[in-house]
Amino acid sequence: MARIIGGIGTSHVPTIGVAFDRKKQDDPDWTPLFKGYAAVAGWLAEKKPDVLVFFYNDHATTFFFDHYPTFALA
């Protein structure tokens, strides 16, 4: 039987997906935001979950205006 080991929530800025895709993690304007995710990355590396269910809003990074969902399941 599956066991839920945690829930992670985060605030975001609409352009974070674009900044990530363009590898701006070391850009001085973006570094503080991306550093905020380091604790979660460490926790996930420690726990090594078998499955991650991820709900997110895309803001047109992957989808475009002809297919613009409010939420997507990845």
Side-chain angles (χ1 to χ4, degrees):
M1 176 172 286
R3 182 172 59 100
I4 296 172
I5 63 168
I8 302 165
T10 181
S11 60
H12 72 287
V13 296
T15 54
I16 191 171
V18 173
F20 185 85
D21 291 347
R22 293 183 179 168
K23 309 210 182 319
K24 299 236 180 222
Q25 292 87 340
D26 295 323
D27 182 298
D29 292 330
W30 286 100
T31 298
L33 180 72
F34 284 109
K35 279 187 177 181
Y37 294 102
V40 172
W43 183 81
L44 287 168
E46 176 190 326
K47 297 296 181 184
K48 296 180 175 83
D50 294 324
V51 176
L52 176 65
V53 178
F54 190 79
F55 296 92
Y56 67 99
N57 55 346
D58 184 84
H59 293 300
T61 298
T62 303
F63 300 112
F64 296 98
F65 294 117
D66 62 339
H67 185 125
Y68 193 64
T70 302
F71 292 96
L73 176 60

